[in-house]
Amino acid sequence: MMERLRQIPRDFRYLIALGVVLAIVPLLLNQFLLSVAIQTVYWAFLGTSWNIMGGYAGQFSFGHAAFYGIGAYTSTVLLVDYGISPWLGMLVGAAFAALFGLIIGYLSFQFGLKGHFFALATFAFAEMLRLVSTELEIVNTSVGIHIPPVGGDSWSKMQFENTPEYYFYVIALFLIVGLFITIIITRSKIGYYFQAIREDEEAAAALGVDTLRYKIYAVMISAAMAAIGGSFFIQFFLFVDPSLAFGVAISIGVLLRPIVGGVGTIWGPLVGALLLSPLAEFTRSFVRTPPSFLSFIEGRAGVDVMIFGVILIVIIIFAPEGVAGIAPRLWRRYQTGRDVDEKSKETVAA
Amino acid sequence: MSLLIVENVTKRFGGLVAVNDVSFELQEGEALGLIGPNGAGKTTLFNVISGNYLPDEGRIIYDERYDITGLKPHRICKFGIARTFQIVKPFASLSVVDNVMVGAFLRTSDTREAERQARDAVEFVGLGTQADIPASSLTTAGRKRLELARALATAPRLLLLDEVMAGLTPTESVKIVELIRQIRDERGVTLLVIEHVMKAIMSLSDRIAVLHHGELIAIDEPSVIARDEGVVEAYLGKEFELADD
Ligand SMILES: Nc1ncnc2c1ncn2[C@@H]1O[C@H](COP(=O)(O)OP(=O)(O)OP(=O)(O)O)[C@@H](O)[C@H]1O
Ligand SMILES: [Mg+2]
């Protein structure tokens, strides 16, 4: 058994271990902590989606809310107006988001948008969708859509009022699949091409990489995953409106996790989410009921955002590769340090 | 058989004519040297052949059948034309072997096979011991070799080498010349080589083409080029003795 395990590549072993941990976690948590855990895994999943396009392929998205919101609205409208199960609805949403990614990717890249300009374009597309949705009847304009609660657990409606652990297991499964896809990508041609494009597009093209095509692939994969995250969250929250779906809070939240954890690394988005999401949740509940000497912050919005800002600045200055980026380096340094110690011991012994 | 035909190619940058009505043919299996003073238009000609620039006039014919003028670089690479860059372009954060695998993936989608081919190419250019370090930690000489290994990994029929010896010590240059000779002799790859190191280019090439102010002023065997008055005046000048010793 151990022999078998050892033959599995390292990242897959980590993934199995993560699966085991995620299976146990909900058993240990109270209601509040479970909700924190759901948010954490959910943001890790969204960060994993962003990471494929922004991290591996190097196409920085500042408008991931566009894809997220398409997913959120598609599954919601299909459920509320047509009675279609969100499980199916989220796949349709993923397909729509991928199609939207194909269109904006083609438009942006064909016109040579790169770096900041591409990031701004993605932001503009998300804002455009937000504005359009405030006027659009089919999504109930700026009023938003409530998903009628079924009052209990229903797998087909993806609602788990009695057993919120199921929400956790659903999003945990998505995260595992998302990470699995990421690992497969990094080990295959498409992942090598993504990274080559990120590092030097001209050199990649000279080696036969169809850069336009592969950049669009990255956007489409990333978009489909973000849309599924959007569908999930609305099923959890049971309400969607234009700013929840397409707001800048999503776009920023999505890229913050990988940037803090480590852009273009498999585990970076998860590490980032583990650091930031609990922090956000605790800050929010702290601000709701602060101790008496801090009563002036009671009910103030945005404290979590301020803390995020500070963390982001610290990370960018001290660890631009992110936490998952520096951790292996520190670990190696620690290990080589130990090796040297052992070698010097051996020399002494000899 | 002509593997590459360059036909009346002209490339302008605004008022500057970087390549002016250049025509020549490259035989399969041949090694053609391309020399000329700084700014003569050598790299620009490469960029036209490799699809990075669209020529203002003229055509590029590959394998006597395909008009590849103005095709995208990745398609031209797929035809079997690989190039190196004068200003090296490593994928800095990837390991040496991962860099080369990007090239190998042109002909296979199997990761193991790509890695095997990449390790061969890395070994061939003499980077075997550095295969698993990040490309960013290579020296200049190492980066030049990496350019070569990546291009080779695409299994080209025609290889365009843009000053792969620039910035190297004489010993390093000798080794690279030996490598390039092997690429031609053992793998049958046709070569178009830009080089300022006269001794190297003279010994390596079957023929030499001389560009001056964008014009092709001579194309002939090395011994003839070395005696050509126009060439000596335009370019060889004081460096001429180098070619002779
Ligand atoms: N993208 C560009 N835009 C404008 N001018 C250019 C461009 N590329 C090259 N040139 C100009 O075209 C001329 C030819 O340049 P090129 O790089 O082809 O010369 P070269 O023969 O390769 O020189 P070197 O030996 O220095 O590498 C030069 O005058 C150069 O300044
Ligand atoms: Mg040049």
Side-chain angles (χ1 to χ4, degrees), chain A residues 169-253:
Chain A
Y169 286 123
V170 168
I171 193 66
L173 179 71
F174 290 173
L175 176 64
I176 296 283
V177 172
L179 288 170
F180 183 76
I181 292 172
T182 307
I183 297 173
I184 295 290
I185 287 176
T186 60
R187 301 168 67 85
S188 31
K189 172 171 165 172
I190 190 172
Y192 280 82
Y193 276 17
F194 285 173
Q195 296 181 73
I197 289 168
R198 176 189 70 204
E199 297 291 308
D200 193 315
E201 226 174 300
E202 207 181 356
L207 295 172
V209 179
D210 186 345
T211 54
L212 175 65
R213 172 183 296 262
Y214 278 87
K215 284 194 286 186
I216 291 175
Y217 285 165
V219 177
M220 290 176 73
I221 296 169
S222 192
M225 277 170 72
I228 285 176
S231 295
F232 169 82
F233 185 75
I234 301 312
Q235 283 301 123
F236 177 66
F237 200 64
L238 299 182
F239 174 70
V240 58
D241 71 10
S243 62
L244 274 175
F246 297 118
V248 71
I250 294 294
S251 295
I252 292 179

Side-chain angles (χ1 to χ4, degrees), chain B:
Chain B
M1 194 207 84
S2 296
L3 187 59
L4 190 79
I5 303 173
V6 174
E7 212 175 82
N8 305 104
V9 165
T10 295
K11 177 68 196 172
R12 301 188 192 91
F13 295 112
L16 176 83
V17 189
V19 174
N20 194 355
D21 196 24
V22 168
S23 302
F24 63 87
E25 295 190 11
L26 191 52
Q27 300 306 309
E28 174 126 53
E30 186 183 19
L32 180 65
L34 185 56
I35 65 173
N38 292 114
K42 306 181 293 296
T43 299
T44 304
L45 182 59
F46 264 30
N47 281 328
V48 170
I49 297 172
S50 66
N52 293 73
Y53 293 156
L54 188 68
D56 295 293
E57 281 154 46
R59 298 195 304 166
I60 313 285
I61 309 293
Y62 179 68
D63 209 10
E64 289 183 347
R65 279 173 292 171
Y66 308 106
D67 185 346
I68 59 167
T69 325
L71 291 185
K72 292 233 178 115
H74 71 90
R75 296 212 35 214
I76 290 179
C77 183
K78 194 133 212 174
F79 270 109
I81 303 181
R83 68 169 296 177
T84 68
F85 289 94
Q86 180 175 359
I87 299 161
V88 292
K89 294 173 171 293
F91 304 129
S93 78
L94 304 190
S95 76
V96 168
V97 71
D98 284 353
N99 265 264
V100 181
M101 280 172 76
V102 174
F105 273 124
L106 183 65
R107 309 283 176 208
T108 173
S109 292
D110 183 285
T111 305
R112 277 197 205 156
E113 176 59 19
E115 180 171 356
R116 197 188 59 70
Q117 291 175 9
R119 288 202 183 272
D120 278 354
V122 167
E123 197 69 45
F124 177 75
V125 302
L127 286 176
T129 57
Q130 284 146 297
D132 296 300
I133 66 169
S136 57
S137 42
L138 288 176
T139 60
T140 306
R143 285 167 196 224
K144 296 273 182 185
R145 282 165 191 260
L146 177 59
E147 284 280 325
L148 199 56
R150 274 196 324 203
L152 275 180
T154 66
R157 275 174 77 192
L158 170 61
L159 188 54
L160 314 178
L161 301 176
D162 197 347
E163 299 200 21
V164 284
M165 283 167 238
L168 304 191
T169 65
T171 353
E172 286 166 344
S173 298
V174 171
K175 282 191 207 138
I176 294 270
V177 170
E178 195 41 51
L179 276 181
I180 296 172
R181 197 168 274 135
Q182 275 180 40
I183 292 171
R184 208 262 303 250
D185 296 346
E186 292 169 18
R187 306 189 176 203
V189 176
T190 307
L191 298 174
L192 183 53
V193 186
I194 298 177
E195 204 46 81
H196 280 298
V197 182
M198 270 314 120
K199 192 173 162 185
I201 197 77
M202 289 286 176
S203 71
L204 199 64
S205 311
D206 302 314
R207 286 190 304 157
I208 289 188
V210 188
L211 272 186
H212 186 52
H213 290 317
E215 285 176 44
L216 186 69
I217 57 170
I219 179 164
D220 217 319
E221 286 168 17
S223 55
V224 181
I225 292 292
R227 271 182 268 110
D228 187 299
E229 266 178 41
V231 175
V232 174
E233 198 176 306
Y235 179 51
L236 293 178
K238 55 190 181 306
E239 284 178 82
F240 184 44
E241 308 90 64
L242 258 177
D244 241 16
D245 70 356

